[in-house]
Amino acid sequence: MSASFFEEVLMTLDNANRHLNLPQGIFQRLRLPRRSLIVSVPVQMDNGGVEFFTGYRVQYDFARGPAKGGIRYHPRVTLDEITALAALMTWKCAVVDIPFGGAKGGVACDTTIMSRDEIKRLTRRYTYEIGILIGPEIDIPAPDMYTDEQVMAWMMDTYSMMKGYSVPGVVTGKPICLGGSLGRNRATSSGLVTTVIEALKVLNMSIDNLTVSVLGFGKVGFHAAKILYDLGAKVIGVADSKGAIYNPQGLNIDEVAKHKSQFDSVQGYKEAENLTVDELLSIESDVLIPAALEAQIHKGNVDKIKTKIVAEGANNPVTIEADEVLNSKGVFMLPGVLANAGGVVVSYFEWVQDLQRFFWNEQEIDDRLNTIMRRAFKEVLAISQEKKIDMRTAATVLGVKRVAEAVTIRGLYP
Ligand code: GLU
């Protein structure tokens, strides 16, 4: 039987600990989530009936600051998955050195078959149920798969109604008019591109005519493709949940986006060939960006991959087994805890701006994001080179070391 997602995350933690040798008590603390809340969420459906959905919020660790992490709505959401993602958020916030612990939440539901009103009622009741755990000083949710600015607005409103006054800092990824931050929408992708550019420097490669394939054409995949396309790269393939498209001359990303919004899929775009996602994986490219679900690249399809750089836009889209294969082939890996951290970095900026009631311009946000991403890349690369370990283990070493330091110096209570 293959390992569960959380077991995979623990294996990476174990690998990292071979280079950290943490005291047993500290190591054990980091293998267990601090708090896990499971809620049942009753929702009045449009047909008049009531349906119950299961929701979760896991706060993995908050030694370094309030817990932070997104909320996903997806039929496959389980406690194991949310715990794994909460652990990754903990290392991620520490890798980029922002003062947050890690959390994640989610509801097992299929928003593609729900009306907007049903999603609104689900969001409000879920927020109420996890309301005992969230707040600007405790735990700050954000968007993740199938949640967006509107969901964050409903969460902010529900929490504020419970308090009796407006609390913008309770969630990030909000609309700008409610205290959202400029640049948050494309922050994950813009941070990801910064790490790709740093990797290109290491490999002596240039962005001109760089060939790129992107798996997933949601917020992260689309913006990553768009930023790279605008910088002069050739995005030769993109895939979504329905299939893939390929054009060796490069796709016009703006046109592909228009096609997707019209037909709900990238497939059928006239200036490209339709492929299956697995066929796209077999096509050679310089950079591959998996930006959809976890475990998209696994031991069953990893042998097909011919690329120089893999940048994880999603959280752990490459399984540990596949990661080993890619490393042994000399592929430059940019693990999600580093590569996709730009989202939570700008979430941090949003939270700071909300607490100060003072807002920054887009240039300030971009500059600060770039500085943080470049610094984190260099720190992870230095560990990888010094200890001769792969980038995923190196990033985990850096993140876990920072969390362990905070846990150690705070000491055990009582
Ligand atoms: N869901 C995003 C992630 O996985 C962002 C989390 C946040 O901004 O809190 O990193």
Side-chain angles (χ1 to χ4, degrees):
M1 216 182 80
S2 59
S4 78
F5 188 10
F6 185 47
E7 283 164 354
E8 288 242 332
V9 169
L10 289 181
M11 282 186 233
T12 311
L13 174 61
D14 294 346
N15 286 341
N17 195 41
R18 291 199 187 99
H19 305 275
L20 288 167
N21 294 313
L22 297 172
Q24 176 271 337
I26 303 290
F27 181 52
Q28 210 43 40
R29 162 79 278 157
L30 299 181
R31 290 178 61 87
L32 293 165
R34 242 335 250 277
R35 290 179 187 146
S36 310
L37 178 66
I38 306 179
V39 294
S40 63
V41 185
V43 179
Q44 174 97 57
M45 305 304 279
D46 291 346
N47 65 9
V50 176
E51 257 184 56
F52 286 80
F53 297 87
T54 306
Y56 308 88
R57 185 73 185 169
V58 174
Q59 296 174 350
Y60 199 83
D61 190 82
F62 37 86
R64 288 169 43 87
K68 184 86 192 79
I71 306 274
R72 67 170 53 176
Y73 288 170
H74 194 273
R76 278 183 16 204
V77 161
T78 60
L79 182 61
D80 181 88
E81 181 194 51
I82 297 299
T83 308
L85 292 164
L88 290 176
M89 282 308 302
T90 311
W91 320 147
K92 191 188 295 186
C93 291
V95 167
V96 286
D97 210 5
I98 56 175
F100 286 138
K104 201 82 180 192
V107 180
C109 64
D110 184 356
T111 53
T112 62
I113 54 166
M114 292 171 74
S115 72
R116 204 172 162 76
D117 275 347
E118 288 170 340
I119 298 170
K120 175 162 76 179
R121 290 192 289 269
L122 172 90
T123 301
R124 288 194 177 282
R125 185 59 188 252
Y126 167 69
T127 307
Y128 173 80
E129 296 297 339
I130 65 163
I132 52 172
L133 279 192
I134 61 171
E137 305 295 340
I138 309 171
D139 179 1
I140 306 121
D144 199 79
M145 284 174 55
Y146 293 96
T147 55
D148 56 13
E149 287 195 351
Q150 177 61 76
V151 171
M152 293 306 114
W154 289 326
M155 289 191 80
M156 178 270 188
D157 182 66
T158 305
Y159 185 84
S160 299
M161 294 310 283
M162 286 161 62
K163 288 283 166 192
Y165 54 92
S166 285
V167 189
V170 64
V171 289
T172 58
K174 297 179 296 297
I176 304 286
C177 64
L178 290 182
S181 179
L182 294 170
R184 175 64 184 83
N185 226 359
R186 53 175 171 75
T188 307
S189 317
S190 106
L192 181 121
V193 171
T194 302
T195 62
V196 169
I197 290 171
E198 291 302 312
L200 292 177
K201 289 185 201 157
V202 176
L203 300 175
N204 269 322
M205 288 166 67
S206 140
I207 202 150
D208 297 323
N209 289 320
L210 186 80
T211 53
V212 181
S213 286
V214 182
L215 305 182
F217 208 60
K219 195 165 76 173
V220 178
F222 162 70
H223 284 292
K226 169 82 175 125
I227 297 169
L228 284 163
Y229 168 73
D230 288 344
L231 287 171
K234 243 201 280 179
V235 182
I236 57 170
V238 299
D240 61 22
S241 59
K242 306 208 170 78
I245 52 170
Y246 168 63
N247 180 341
Q249 305 313 318
L251 298 157
N252 178 326
I253 296 304
D254 297 308
E255 293 299 319
V256 175
K258 268 191 220 152
H259 178 90
K260 167 128 183 149
S261 71
Q262 206 179 340
F263 299 101
D264 207 29
S265 170
V266 293
Q267 282 223 317
Y269 172 62
K270 58 182 186 317
E271 278 171 50
E273 187 187 332
N274 282 339
L275 297 181
T276 64
V277 178
D278 264 11
E279 282 167 343
L280 179 63
L281 277 180
S282 326
I283 284 171
E284 192 166 345
S285 62
D286 296 320
V287 183
L288 176 66
I289 302 177
L293 266 182
E294 48 263 6
Q296 250 199 321
I297 298 173
H298 46 79
K299 77 168 188 257
N301 61 11
V302 66
D303 287 326
K304 297 185 176 150
I305 291 173
K306 298 181 221 75
T307 191
K308 299 191 179 75
I309 299 171
V310 171
E312 291 188 332
N315 291 309
N316 275 40
V318 179
T319 64
I320 290 202
E321 285 170 327
D323 194 65
E324 276 167 17
V325 175
L326 292 171
N327 280 311
S328 70
K329 287 207 244 175
V331 174
F332 197 108
M333 292 295 302
L334 289 164
V337 287
L338 167 67
N340 71 36
V344 75
V345 169
V346 177
S347 274
Y348 165 55
F349 298 163
E350 180 173 334
W351 177 75
V352 168
Q353 292 171 84
D354 287 340
L355 294 184
Q356 295 181 335
R357 307 293 199 260
F358 181 74
F359 291 87
W360 313 344
N361 66 37
E362 204 146 2
Q363 194 60 50
E364 284 172 290
I365 287 157
D366 285 349
D367 291 349
R368 287 185 167 138
L369 171 63
N370 269 321
T371 307
I372 290 180
M373 294 305 295
R374 275 202 294 268
R375 180 186 69 202
F377 175 91
K378 291 201 169 107
E379 286 174 334
V380 173
L381 183 69
I383 293 173
S384 155
Q385 290 173 338
E386 183 207 318
K387 296 190 185 293
K388 300 192 171 35
I389 55 179
D390 61 273
M391 288 289 278
R392 189 182 312 277
T393 311
T396 312
V397 164
L398 178 63
V400 169
K401 181 166 167 270
R402 286 184 174 146
V403 179
E405 256 163 27
V407 172
T408 307
I409 203 151
R410 285 179 65 151
L412 192 60
Y413 175 85

